[in-house]
Amino acid sequence: MKKLPLSLAASSIFLSMLFTPAHETVQAKEMENKANSSTYMVALKKPHTNGKAKEVDTKIESANQLKTYLDKKYSELKTDIVTVNFNYTVSENDDLNRPYDFFIDFNMSLTPYSLSFEYAMRDHLKSIKHQDTAIEDVAKARKQLNDFIEAMAKDVIEKLPNKKILGQDYYSWYLYPNLKMNLRIETNMSWTNYEPISTKHVWVDKPDDYSKNIGATTDPAYNDLERNKYLREYAQLKYNDFKITDFGWRKYLDDFKTFDY
């Protein structure tokens, strides 16, 4: 019986089988199975994602929600001199006689204890231990506090873009607490995202050497007249007399008032 010639492809396969050891063929098959199995398990373990995970937006609509957010995110600042703790009180306004929608009181307390941030800075400037670096230390700590409050303020403004907001370190006490007489009110670090639409008078910041030169110069920069006129005019403005603006420090709202009665 005449044998038929093998095709070229069949011959190639036949020769490959002849020259490939049997144990290598089995081993290759086992490795293929393992690879397929591993790929399958990885596919099971790896979750399917479409792009980056979404960040959860914090929705703020009320004074309580705003306080909760601030307590969680902006409760403490560690400066190089003292640790500042922020104990927020937030209130929502519904009175047309006031210019804001929300008022944020920082109510700052310090560790180690000091009456106020500025008192702590003054004590540091008088320190024998830090006399070589005290001025630089205080400048850095003040910048750290300013930057922290500004970042907090801009975050709040971004979350409440259509609301007028006032932020302050507000502190009040009675000189005679048992009798509730002689009230004292001190406000510091004041900021807002609103300003008067128009005023007749313009606020001029006091120069750095104001306290040393008041009464010794007739320079308008040292004259309280324009500032006092601005404050009186500002006090008469109502809610609708203010427009929403970007964040800004408002030195004219930093004050110390006494009520001796």
Side-chain angles (χ1 to χ4, degrees), residues 39 47 56 61 64-66 81 92 98-99 113 155 200 260:
T39 305
V56 178
E61 295 180 332
N64 286 337
Q65 288 174 333
L66 179 53
I81 298 177
E92 189 170 2
R98 296 177 180 174
Y113 174 79
D155 186 12
K200 295 178 183 177
D260 292 330

Side-chain angles (χ1 to χ4, degrees), residues 56-172:
V56 178
D57 257 347
T58 302
K59 192 173 183 180
I60 297 174
E61 295 180 332
S62 69
N64 286 337
Q65 288 174 333
L66 179 53
K67 173 179 166 50
T68 300
Y69 179 76
L70 292 172
D71 286 339
K72 184 176 180 181
K73 192 170 181 181
Y74 297 100
S75 62
E76 182 181 276
L77 167 68
K78 292 183 179 180
T79 73
D80 291 359
I81 298 177
V82 292
T83 296
V84 184
N85 300 297
F86 293 80
N87 309 288
Y88 295 100
T89 300
V90 181
S91 58
E92 189 170 2
N93 173 53
D94 191 35
D95 186 346
L96 281 172
N97 292 317
R98 296 177 180 174
Y100 54 82
D101 295 294
F102 287 95
F103 171 59
I104 302 171
D105 174 16
F106 314 147
N107 192 14
M108 297 188 295
S109 60
L110 306 179
T111 306
Y113 174 79
S114 185
L115 188 62
S116 72
F117 184 82
E118 282 306 312
Y119 273 97
M121 298 303 102
R122 292 172 198 169
D123 288 344
H124 192 80
L125 289 170
K126 294 184 292 183
S127 170
I128 295 173
K129 295 179 181 178
H130 303 285
Q131 58 184 309
D132 294 335
T133 62
I135 294 175
E136 292 80 6
D137 295 344
V138 167
K140 185 176 180 181
R142 282 181 175 147
K143 185 177 187 309
Q144 288 171 329
L145 179 62
N146 281 19
D147 289 349
F148 181 89
I149 292 176
E150 183 169 339
M152 176 270 291
K154 288 180 176 179
D155 186 12
V156 171
I157 290 168
E158 185 178 352
K159 287 181 167 49
L160 295 165
N162 300 316
K163 299 295 183 180
K164 299 170 186 173
I165 306 164
L166 165 64
Q168 287 179 326
D169 182 29
Y170 180 94
Y171 184 50
S172 65

Side-chain angles (χ1 to χ4, degrees), residues 133-234:
T133 62
I135 294 175
E136 292 80 6
D137 295 344
V138 167
K140 185 176 180 181
R142 282 181 175 147
K143 185 177 187 309
Q144 288 171 329
L145 179 62
N146 281 19
D147 289 349
F148 181 89
I149 292 176
E150 183 169 339
M152 176 270 291
K154 288 180 176 179
D155 186 12
V156 171
I157 290 168
E158 185 178 352
K159 287 181 167 49
L160 295 165
N162 300 316
K163 299 295 183 180
K164 299 170 186 173
I165 306 164
L166 165 64
Q168 287 179 326
D169 182 29
Y170 180 94
Y171 184 50
S172 65
W173 71 98
Y174 288 101
L175 197 59
Y176 305 105
N178 292 335
L179 300 174
K180 292 190 175 181
M181 291 179 60
N182 293 36
L183 177 65
R184 304 287 189 264
I185 297 176
E186 185 173 3
T187 52
N188 292 292
M189 309 296 294
S190 301
W191 61 265
T192 73
N193 68 328
Y194 58 82
E195 289 184 278
I197 295 171
S198 63
T199 55
K200 295 178 183 177
H201 304 282
V202 178
W203 175 265
V204 179
D205 286 336
K206 296 178 182 179
D208 293 336
D209 57 350
Y210 173 82
S211 58
K212 296 179 182 178
N213 291 280
I214 184 65
T217 177
T218 56
D219 189 323
Y222 295 93
N223 193 337
D224 280 332
L225 183 61
E226 185 68 14
R227 285 188 290 271
N228 288 336
K229 286 180 178 179
Y230 179 84
L231 289 175
R232 285 197 294 269
E233 185 177 2
Y234 188 97

